[in-house]
Amino acid sequence: MAKKQFVFFFLLLLSITLTTAQTDDDPLGTEVVTIVKPYAPSISDAFKIKETPVLNNSVAAQKTPVEYSIFSVPVASTFTPAKGKAATVVKAEKVKLYDNYATLGFGNYTTILGELYSNFQLSRTDNVGVFFKHNSAQGDIDGIRADANFFDTQLDLNYTSRQRDVAYNIDAGVSHEQYNWYGINDDFNRQPNTFFTNTDFTQNYFSGYLGGGIAFEDSFFSGVSGNLRYLSDSYESSEINVKLQPEFLFPISDNKFTLGIDVDYVSGSFFEGLFLPGAINYNHLNAGFLPSLDIVNNDLSLSLGVAAYTNFDLENSDTNFYLYPNVSASYRVVDEIVIAYAGAEGGLMQNSFYGFKEVNPYISPTLTIMPTSKTYDIFGGLKGKLANSIAYNLNASYKNETDKALFVANTFSTATDTEGYKYGNSFGILYDDVNTLQVFGEITSEISQNFSLGVNATFNSYSTDTTAEAWNLPALQATLFTTFSITEKLYGGASIFYVGERKDLDLNTAAFPSVSPVVTLDGYVDLNVNFGYKFSDRLSVFVKGSNLIGDNYERWYNYNVQGIQVLGGATYKFDW
């Protein structure tokens, strides 16, 4: 016990001594430490604990195996699942195409319409076609004492062949047309019946043609087309017209250079003039060269060319040279929505007796024939689609034509051997220089496969050089047209067109100074409707109504048209 007290007393004394030593006023000493190398700490390796520790447990529980079996009990059921079926695509019924058809129709005014077309396939590449058509009317027109009968009969043949590198065709045909100069003025319309019985107002046109063409693939010689036509009439008139148009094509990089050649020869004669005896002969050869460079660059299409023509007046030994612009361009401003186009074109147009009678069959066989020079035709416009089913076209143009042919009424002749066209009831040709400002607009809409609608209008303003008016040329023309299908078998169409006022010259009033020789032909509206019904893919019937407003308007001066015309018939398609 004394030993333990001694040890405790010694430790206490040592603690008090150390405490007194630290409270002395002597400062701590300093010592310089020299660092031999920088301190580089290191991390000792760590030892991971295993994810699945090994248990050394002698008291681990043992799994008891379980044995079991499935006892299947059938369940009665009347449900039977339907078998799956693949969806089918509805296919449109294949339309049977026939190589031949025949049409026959009858109407008032003793109208007869007959057509027959037949195609014969000689081989995989060769075909022969035959087309026959007859259209006639025998009825008279109210207030007209002369016969107004007419008929038009034609037969056309064609042969086509399409080989691998070349395609060619041959066309031929004949026609016979008969018209009457029934446009008698009021003075002659009051003549006794013997006047109409003894006067032959009939004019017959007989014509035939032979033509064809050939086109080559991958050749600088693109091809050539040609046509030979002959025309004669009841008054010993005759005319031959030959046209030849070869074309050469030279690719230049992505562009192409085209050289066209235009040869147009017309020769003919008339038995006599309207007032003077003696034959009228004409003989003109037009030869033209039309080089052009076509450039296509993305949205821009450009054609740069000229047209150089020479006219040989072989009857009068006269030669004239002409040079015309032949430039056009189009640019897609907004894809297919807005396409701008413009150009300047010109050319020498060959006039002919055949061409005049196609426009006005009541011309007299006493004409002066000469070509018309279209000095320039400057145009520009916009076209495109407002939607997938709506298309439009707007343009304006200004053109100058030298020796433009104008139809004008003939005066009556006082000759004792008066023919049927010498009673002021036929038309002649006056030539004049005419400037024309034209504005045209058209919009068409295919609303659905069963309905389409369209309208267009043309406004013309004419200025002439020597004549007082642009005779028989209307200032305004407009057309509204539609086609529709009411059912799968019933279909139809309609059109209504308007032709504005025209001016003509009646020199038969020269004996009356107080009466103006200028006559005005009123504008007119013509409504036409047609319906058809398909009994089968072979047989269909149709009915057509023309001039349904019933106005006997004047198509030409003193030439009133037939009133309401109704024609009905049937068309049958077949194979031989």
Side-chain angles (χ1 to χ4, degrees), residues 11 180 182:
L11 291 176
N180 284 276
Y182 65 87

Side-chain angles (χ1 to χ4, degrees), residues 516-536:
S516 172
V518 178
V519 294
T520 300
L521 281 65
D522 294 334
Y524 60 87
V525 177
D526 198 322
L527 173 63
N528 305 279
V529 177
N530 67 84
F531 288 95
Y533 185 82
K534 297 179 182 179
F535 286 101
S536 66

Side-chain angles (χ1 to χ4, degrees), residues 270 280-282 284 316 351-353 356 364-371 405 428-431:
F270 298 107
I280 300 176
N281 300 311
Y282 55 96
H284 292 277
N316 299 307
N351 292 316
S352 65
F353 185 33
F356 287 146
S364 64
T366 59
L367 306 177
T368 299
I369 304 293
M370 65 174 65
I429 297 292
L430 286 181
Y431 293 92

Side-chain angles (χ1 to χ4, degrees), residues 56 86 114 143 322 375 403 467 470 543 555:
N56 186 12
Y322 304 89
T375 309
D403 293 328
T467 59
V543 60
R555 175 63 184 87

Side-chain angles (χ1 to χ4, degrees), residues 112-133:
I112 300 175
L113 173 65
E115 292 183 5
L116 174 64
Y117 175 77
S118 187
N119 179 72
F120 302 93
Q121 186 168 357
L122 304 181
S123 66
R124 187 174 59 88
T125 59
D126 296 3
N127 293 76
V128 172
V130 180
F131 178 69
F132 172 81
K133 180 180 180 179

Side-chain angles (χ1 to χ4, degrees), residues 105-370:
F106 301 93
N108 60 337
Y109 293 99
T110 321
T111 301
I112 300 175
L113 173 65
E115 292 183 5
L116 174 64
Y117 175 77
S118 187
N119 179 72
F120 302 93
Q121 186 168 357
L122 304 181
S123 66
R124 187 174 59 88
T125 59
D126 296 3
N127 293 76
V128 172
V130 180
F131 178 69
F132 172 81
K133 180 180 180 179
H134 173 83
N135 186 22
S136 63
Q138 307 298 320
D140 294 332
I141 299 175
D142 292 340
I144 304 297
R145 297 178 62 188
D147 291 336
N149 305 340
F150 80 90
F151 73 75
D152 180 3
T153 303
Q154 65 184 73
L155 175 65
D156 297 295
L157 307 173
N158 69 80
Y159 170 77
T160 59
S161 179
R162 298 176 180 87
Q163 306 297 328
R164 180 178 180 180
D165 298 323
V166 62
Y168 55 89
N169 67 284
I170 301 174
D171 305 313
V174 294
S175 68
H176 177 201
E177 301 170 76
Q178 184 182 94
Y179 297 91
N180 284 276
W181 285 294
Y182 65 87
I184 305 296
N185 62 25
D186 293 337
D187 291 335
F188 285 103
N189 209 34
R190 288 190 288 266
Q191 295 292 322
N193 291 333
T194 55
F195 169 77
F196 296 96
T197 303
N198 298 331
T199 304
D200 186 7
F201 296 103
T202 304
Q203 169 67 304
N204 289 278
Y205 297 107
F206 306 93
S207 67
Y209 70 92
L210 176 64
I214 185 169
F216 297 94
E217 292 287 342
D218 301 325
S219 173
F220 74 93
F221 180 48
S222 299
V224 61
S225 63
N227 183 274
L228 168 66
R229 185 182 297 277
Y230 176 78
L231 174 67
S232 65
D233 69 355
S234 301
Y235 293 89
E236 302 182 25
S237 306
S238 64
E239 180 182 81
I240 294 177
N241 185 202
V242 180
K243 296 181 180 180
L244 190 65
Q245 295 176 320
E247 185 178 76
F248 302 87
L249 177 62
F250 305 94
I252 301 177
S253 184
D254 294 333
N255 307 314
K256 63 179 181 178
F257 177 78
T258 304
L259 175 60
I261 299 175
D262 183 15
V263 179
D264 196 335
Y265 173 73
V266 63
S267 177
S269 64
F270 298 107
F271 178 72
E272 63 178 355
L274 185 63
F275 300 107
L276 300 176
I280 300 176
N281 300 311
Y282 55 96
N283 201 336
H284 292 277
L285 173 62
N286 292 346
F289 293 87
L290 297 86
S292 66
L293 177 63
D294 297 331
I295 302 172
V296 178
N297 185 8
N298 295 328
D299 295 329
L300 177 65
S301 297
L302 186 63
S303 179
L304 304 174
V306 296
Y309 276 89
T310 301
N311 169 251
F312 302 94
D313 184 351
L314 304 178
E315 190 67 29
N316 299 307
S317 300
D318 190 17
T319 303
N320 293 287
F321 300 94
Y322 304 89
L323 187 64
Y324 306 99
N326 191 11
V327 179
S328 62
S330 66
Y331 181 73
R332 298 178 185 272
V333 181
V334 184
D335 294 331
E336 297 291 334
I337 300 175
V338 180
I339 301 175
Y341 63 94
E345 300 176 345
L348 189 63
M349 298 174 290
Q350 187 77 280
N351 292 316
S352 65
F353 185 33
Y354 178 86
F356 287 146
K357 71 92 178 172
E358 287 292 286
V359 179
N360 183 354
Y362 308 110
I363 56 175
S364 64
T366 59
L367 306 177
T368 299
I369 304 293
M370 65 174 65

